[in-house]
Each structure stands twice: as structure tokens, then as C-alpha cells.
Amino acid sequence: MKIRRLARILLVARRYGLFLLAADSIRYPWAKWLLRLVSSSKSVDAPRGERMRRALEDLGPLFVKFGQLLSTRRDLLPEDVADELAKLQDQVPPFSSSESRRLIELSLGRRIEDMFTEFQDEPVASASIAQVHFAVIKHGPKAGQPVAIKVLRPGMSTVIDKDLALMRTGANLLEKVSADGKRLRPREVVQEFDKYLHDELDLMFEAANASQLRRNFSAASGSGHLLRVPEMYWDYCCSSVITMERMHGIPISQIDRLRERGVDLKKLSRDGVEIFFTQVFRDGFFHADMHPGNIYVGESGPDFGRYIALDFGIVGTLTDVDKQYLAQNFLAFFRQDYKRVAELHVQSGWVPKSTRIDELESAIRACIEPYFDKPLKDISLGNVLMRLFQASRRFNVEIQPQLVLLQKTLLNVEGLGRQLDPELDLWKTAKPFLENWMNQQIGLKGFQTSLQWEAAQWSQILPALPRLLHQSLTQNNGRVDMQIEQLAKQQRRLNRALFWMVLMLALLFGIVSLDLLWPVLAGAPGPFKVF
């Protein structure tokens, strides 16, 4: 099976002239000669990015997903290749409804008729990992609730593991023979893809992500008016099947329908920016797959004009340290303080400590300055990021994995903003939000919030302080006694050594003195004369 799959991959690569592309970066002459020898004799006129995209599409849905992941790594790929790979569509024919019914019943341990009053055999969506059916819950407090059931494709784990094994082998080979092998870090890319795929194979991860995001944007959070997240029905969820509230809305890409319904597109574009920065800086937990297929807009009722998010298989997380550095970087960008941006990169360890601040500052200024004071329609964040990544290679910037997902999401937000309001100024929209967030984190409000959070810890620690202090002193006294005893032993050993040393020196001195004085003593008159 592996040999046949490998042969198929090699044939597709040959058909699209990928061996010729690879030969340009190979460091060994014999390997270049071999790749050119096995390359197709037919001329390949299509651009390299298009050839790579079509090859991945021919190899199947798993390689399509790999290409989609690669398209986010603009720090590794040329711009034309990354742009072409971003066009990859994860659409595959659905598997049979009878198989879908069988998997749902096997996974949930109940018959379809016992769980749902209605079940739509025809899937409403189908992708490489899973497909979706509509149904209506039959029993319990949610009886009559319309739901969407997502069921995992059968046999996916085996297929994925086999292809990943081939990818690892290819990554190891590429790292050894390619001149760009170390910079491209192919093994890390495959490892990242491995984690991403296996997380998607357990649908409970997606259900938990959705539940967390729903809680973050609940009415109590103060931002519930911005984003609607479907509720998960845990009684009908397991690792291969999840059931969620059915959402009704208009795909965000259908601009004409949104206008017909009277949706305020300018407000919608501003809300999109606020949702992004709220997820990143307030929560440190963000939907990382916000392409137009996963975003809808409510068309009636309480959800009218509100974003609706779907598909939570990919999320990003940020630590408090990440958020602080990112917020300060964004604010420094907005204030055009490029020296501060350079200093933050060095302080965070993203560039070597030996980097000259003034050189990094000049490189960042050259990337960003031309884009200020322009509407979003005249700015390509992709181009800005690409120039930044090109500069980053010069200064050996270490790209953080969590920031790759953030970059991908920012590009998605840019795409949505361009569709809804080409005049949107991303910088001016985001700056007040970030300044307010920084004041809450670093200013007086931030100090008060930290005190409140720490108070719960102090309430437990303060009463125990006398006991903890006594234990510490007791332990310290014990350690001091042991140290004194050890010092005393060492002192006694030193005294004995000194005694014997002095005794030996005295004997040696006496022998030498007697040897020097003996002739004088032997010839002396009187009582000193020796017979």
C-alpha cells in the first residue's frame, strides 16, 4: 500500500514538473542531475504555484489540507506560491447516507429513530474529514430543537497515518539535500500538520472549542452582541459525532443578499475587527479558521446583523506574555514607533540578542511606513506581512507557531473587511480598542484587577503565614546545625593535618640543623669535645 501510494505521489509530481522546481534548491549536483533526468519531457508552462496547487488537488483531500496549512506559512514560502495554495478548496464527494446513519448509531449507541424525529439523509456539507446532516431532537428538554450533526468519515485515521509517514520521510530527505532545508524546517511543518489533523479526528476537541468560544461571547461577557456561537448538545456528542444547534443566516460572502436584508455593512466590518481583537487580547483564544465559508450573518430575530461562527476545529491560544508583547507591538506600529517595535522583538527573544536595534528599526520602517494613512482598499496586509517575513529572514526572526495561526486569521479578517467595506481603516478601528485594553492591563484598572484576582490566593496564604514561617525557620535551623557539624568535622581534620605537618617540618629542620652544626660541635674544646 505504501509503495503504491509513494509511486502515485512521484507520478503526480513528475506530471506537474515539481522535480524541476525541487532541483533548483538541491545542494548536491548528482541529485540535481537525477531529478532532471526523471522529470517529464513535456514542457510545463503554468506558473509554479498553480502547478503545486493542481498536484495537491490530484493527490486528494489530505494533501489539500496540507496545502491549506502551507499557505499560512508565508514566512517559509514565496508569495506567489502562498497565494495560489490559499485557493485550495476542501470539497470532496459525500459518503453514503446509510453509512452515515450506521456510524451515528454505532457511536452514540442508539437508533436514529430513537434520538431524532427528523433526519436529513442528504448531507448539507461534505469535506475531507467529516460531513454534516440536519436533524430534530426527539426527547428531553431540547425536544423539537433543530440541530446539525457532524459525523467523521470512516477509516480516516488509517489513511492519515499512512500519508503522514510518507510526509515525514519526505521532510527528512528534503532537510538533508535541500539548500533551504534548515530555513524551511520541513519536519516542524509536518509535525504541526500531524497535530492539527489528529485534533480534527477527535470531534470532542471541536465541541469543547465551540463551548469555550460561546462562553467567551455570552451576554454576561459584554460582547454577546458581536458573535453568535451554536450550543453543543453533549448527550449527542462523542469523539466521532457531535451535535450542535442549527444556525440560520446568510453566508458573509453573499454581499447582495446582506444589502437586500438591510444589514449595515460598515458596522459589520467594524464588528469583525472588534471580534478579532477581543478574541486575541481579551481572551487569548481565537477562532483560527475564519474564512467566508465558516462565517454567516443573522438575517432575522435577535441574531439580525450579528456574526455567526461555524467549524471550530482550528483555534489559536496566546499566553499573557504573548498578549502583552503583541499589544505593545500593535500600538507601537499604530504610533509609528519603529524603534519600540525593534526593542520588543529583541526583548521577547524573537530575534538574537546581538541584533542591532537601529538596523532592525530601519527594516521595519521600510516595510510599514508606505501603508499608513491609506484606506484598507489600498492596503494588502498580505503584502505587509510578506515584506515583514522577508525582513525577518535577514535578522533570523524565530517565527512562533501560535503567531502563524494569528497571521492566518488576520488575513481572513482583512478579506472580510475588503468585501464589506473597502474604505475601512483597520489601523484607526483597532487603535482605540488596543489602547483601552492596555490601560486595563497596565494602568490603574489593570492594577485593581490584579489585586482582585490575587486576593483569592492571599485569603488562603495569609492565615497560614505563621505556620509556614515557623516551618521555614525550623528547616533552616536544621540545615544550619548540619552545616555547623560538617564545618566542625572539617576543622578537626584540618587541625590534625596541620599538627602532623608542623611536626614533620620541625623534625626536618632539626635534622638539617644538626647536619650543618656537627663539624663545629665535634672540634670544640671543653665539655663539648667529643671523644
Side-chain angles (χ1 to χ4, degrees):
M1 289 288 290
K2 287 184 178 179
I3 292 174
R4 287 204 301 269
R5 183 61 170 159
L6 179 60
R8 162 87 174 141
I9 293 171
L10 294 175
L11 285 173
V12 171
R14 182 175 183 271
R15 182 189 310 153
Y16 289 102
L18 300 188
F19 289 144
L20 290 174
L21 293 179
D24 294 336
S25 64
I26 298 299
R27 70 178 80 175
Y28 302 111
W30 63 265
K32 288 186 177 184
W33 174 83
L34 182 62
L35 285 175
R36 292 193 174 101
L37 181 67
V38 299
S39 294
S40 174
S41 58
K42 299 178 182 179
S43 61
V44 183
D45 298 327
R48 59 181 180 177
E50 181 182 342
R51 284 148 56 193
M52 291 180 68
R53 173 179 61 79
R54 290 169 61 190
L56 291 171
E57 287 173 341
D58 277 8
L59 288 171
L62 185 66
F63 282 83
V64 167
K65 295 190 81 67
F66 185 60
Q68 290 172 333
L69 176 69
L70 281 178
S71 70
T72 68
R73 299 303 304 266
R74 292 176 179 265
D75 57 314
L76 304 179
L77 297 178
E79 185 176 7
D80 61 315
V81 174
D83 288 342
E84 194 66 36
L85 294 184
K87 299 177 184 177
L88 286 165
Q89 296 297 314
D90 187 17
Q91 295 293 332
V92 296
F95 54 91
S96 67
S97 59
S98 59
E99 179 69 4
S100 186
R101 279 176 167 267
R102 186 188 70 80
L103 290 171
I104 293 171
E105 292 179 343
L106 181 65
S107 300
L108 298 180
R110 289 169 282 176
R111 296 172 63 245
I112 292 285
E113 292 75 13
D114 295 336
M115 294 183 285
F116 308 107
T117 56
E118 298 176 23
F119 181 85
Q120 187 173 319
D121 285 327
E122 187 71 21
V124 294
S126 175
S128 59
I129 297 294
Q131 66 186 37
V132 179
H133 297 263
F134 285 157
V136 177
I137 292 178
K138 186 174 185 178
H139 298 295
K142 296 296 182 180
Q145 172 67 50
V147 295
I149 304 171
K150 188 171 185 177
V151 54
L152 199 66
R153 278 184 176 272
M156 284 304 299
S157 181
T158 304
V159 173
I160 284 174
D161 286 340
K162 288 179 179 177
D163 278 351
L164 281 172
L166 291 175
M167 287 182 182
R168 289 191 196 97
T169 302
N172 288 332
L173 184 62
L174 179 64
E175 197 166 278
K176 290 176 181 177
V177 303
S178 173
D180 290 330
K182 289 186 178 180
R183 182 183 67 79
L184 294 174
R185 294 178 292 179
R187 286 189 297 173
E188 291 183 24
V189 173
V190 173
Q191 184 179 356
E192 181 183 348
F193 185 52
D194 186 349
K195 178 183 180 301
Y196 154 66
L197 276 180
H198 280 92
D199 282 353
E200 278 207 310
L201 286 177
D202 188 345
L203 295 182
M204 289 297 281
F205 276 96
E206 179 176 347
N209 292 338
S211 183
Q212 178 66 54
L213 196 61
R214 177 180 171 86
R215 187 160 53 249
N216 290 346
F217 282 87
S218 64
S221 70
S223 53
H225 63 287
L226 295 172
L227 182 65
R228 179 87 154 81
V229 179
E231 181 181 358
M232 291 289 154
Y233 300 118
W234 297 104
D235 291 341
Y236 305 92
C237 292
C238 63
S239 60
S240 56
V241 175
I242 58 174
T243 304
M244 68 192 79
E245 179 184 5
R246 182 177 173 181
M247 296 283 97
H248 300 274
I250 302 171
I252 198 165
S253 58
Q254 298 182 10
I255 304 298
D256 291 337
R257 282 187 63 190
L258 292 173
R259 286 199 185 99
E260 289 173 6
R261 299 293 296 183
V263 175
D264 185 345
L265 298 185
K266 290 185 178 292
K267 178 180 182 300
L268 200 61
S269 64
R270 292 194 300 271
D271 287 350
V273 175
E274 186 174 348
I275 287 170
F276 171 74
F277 284 101
T278 299
Q279 290 182 90
V280 170
F281 293 108
R282 188 193 68 183
D283 304 326
F285 184 91
F286 58 94
H287 192 306
D289 200 14
M290 292 180 66
H291 63 76
N294 288 338
I295 304 296
Y296 284 64
V297 178
E299 57 181 331
S300 61
D303 290 337
F304 178 76
R306 180 161 59 158
Y307 281 92
I308 298 171
L310 301 174
D311 196 345
F312 309 93
I314 308 175
V315 297
T317 56
L318 297 171
T319 65
D320 288 340
V321 174
D322 290 332
K323 290 191 291 183
Q324 291 282 354
Y325 273 113
L326 279 172
Q328 292 185 57
N329 267 289
F330 271 116
L331 280 177
F333 273 127
F334 294 152
R335 294 167 179 167
Q336 296 170 270
D337 185 356
Y338 305 116
K339 183 178 180 181
R340 180 59 180 153
V341 174
E343 290 172 345
L344 287 167
H345 274 64
V346 174
Q347 290 171 12
S348 65
W350 294 351
V351 295
K353 297 291 184 185
S354 58
T355 303
R356 286 186 55 176
I357 297 292
D358 58 334
E359 291 183 355
L360 183 57
E361 177 189 356
S362 297
I364 294 171
R365 181 184 294 107
C367 293
I368 303 299
E369 191 66 24
Y371 298 98
F372 267 98
D373 300 324
K374 289 184 178 181
L376 190 60
K377 68 176 181 180
D378 298 329
I379 301 175
S380 169
L381 288 179
N383 289 338
V384 176
L385 288 170
M386 192 61 210
R387 293 194 64 184
L388 281 172
F389 282 135
Q390 288 171 347
S392 75
R393 293 192 191 114
R394 267 185 59 205
F395 294 94
N396 298 317
V397 173
E398 293 186 10
I399 304 299
Q400 310 299 309
Q402 69 275 22
L403 300 187
V404 172
L405 280 177
L406 188 67
Q407 168 237 328
K408 172 179 178 287
T409 307
L410 185 57
L411 290 177
N412 286 334
V413 170
E414 175 198 23
L416 294 177
R418 283 184 185 279
Q419 287 183 321
L420 298 170
D421 180 15
E423 300 294 333
L424 174 69
D425 190 328
L426 183 67
W427 316 116
K428 290 182 180 177
T429 305
K431 184 179 176 183
F433 177 89
L434 282 172
E435 287 178 337
N436 181 56
W437 184 84
M438 287 295 291
N439 289 334
Q440 290 178 349
Q441 296 297 310
I442 298 176
L444 182 60
K445 288 184 179 179
F447 179 70
Q448 292 173 342
T449 302
S450 298
L451 283 178
Q452 291 172 357
W453 190 87
E454 294 288 353
Q457 308 294 323
W458 294 347
S459 64
Q460 296 178 354
I461 294 173
L462 286 174
L465 272 180
R467 175 175 54 82
L468 294 173
L469 182 60
H470 179 265
Q471 289 178 354
S472 177
L473 289 173
T474 303
Q475 292 172 357
N476 287 337
N477 286 337
R479 284 196 293 268
V480 169
D481 291 341
M482 290 178 62
Q483 290 172 355
I484 291 174
E485 184 177 351
Q486 289 174 356
L487 287 173
K489 289 180 180 179
Q490 291 177 0
Q491 185 66 44
R492 286 194 292 271
R493 286 196 295 269
L494 181 61
N495 289 342
R496 285 196 295 270
L498 287 172
F499 170 77
W500 287 109
M501 186 182 298
V502 171
L503 181 62
M504 294 299 295
L505 287 172
L507 288 173
L508 182 61
F509 179 76
I511 291 171
V512 171
S513 300
L514 186 62
D515 184 60
L516 292 173
L517 295 174
W518 179 257
V520 177
L521 295 175
F528 297 103
K529 186 176 181 179
V530 180
F531 295 95

